[in-house]
Amino acid sequence: VYHFLSDANHGIDFYGVTPQNEPEFPAPWDACAYDPASEGDFIANHLGPTLAKSHPDTKILMFDHNKDHVVQWARMLLDSDHPASKYIDGSAI
């Protein structure tokens, strides 16, 4: 969120963000990897509430990855009963 604040001071607006680029990529270096449950937890409990408060117009796009697993992720994260669903605006495939 710090970068959003500093960039906004320079007139740079962001349309949206993804929690993680290619969350299923098994990087051979120290990296963050998510499955649908862990990305949903991060959005519901951290990223979503923080952006809703500080940058309510910034979109959150789930699953910034290949299209082969987007249906699995969408079924979980866009389900209206999932706490992350209220923060997610789409997918970044």
Side-chain angles (χ1 to χ4, degrees):
V1 175
Y2 169 78
H3 291 288
F4 284 112
L5 294 173
S6 64
D7 291 344
N9 291 335
H10 295 287
I12 299 171
D13 294 322
F14 288 90
Y15 171 80
V17 298
T18 63
Q20 174 64 34
N21 179 49
E22 298 183 340
E24 295 180 330
F25 178 68
W29 52 81
D30 289 341
C32 185
Y34 285 116
D35 59 18
S38 58
E39 184 166 292
D41 179 64
F42 176 67
I43 292 170
N45 297 304
H46 304 285
L47 183 62
T50 300
L51 284 182
K53 183 177 178 182
S54 63
H55 296 82
D57 294 331
T58 302
K59 310 292 185 207
I60 296 176
L61 304 174
M62 62 160 221
F63 194 63
D64 179 2
H65 205 88
N66 302 324
K67 64 184 179 182
D68 56 342
H69 295 150
V70 71
V71 173
Q72 171 192 354
W73 284 61
R75 282 190 180 133
M76 176 182 271
L77 298 180
L78 299 180
D79 184 299
S80 61
D81 291 332
H82 196 289
S85 67
K86 68 181 177 181
Y87 299 110
I88 298 172
D89 296 288
S91 178
I93 57 171

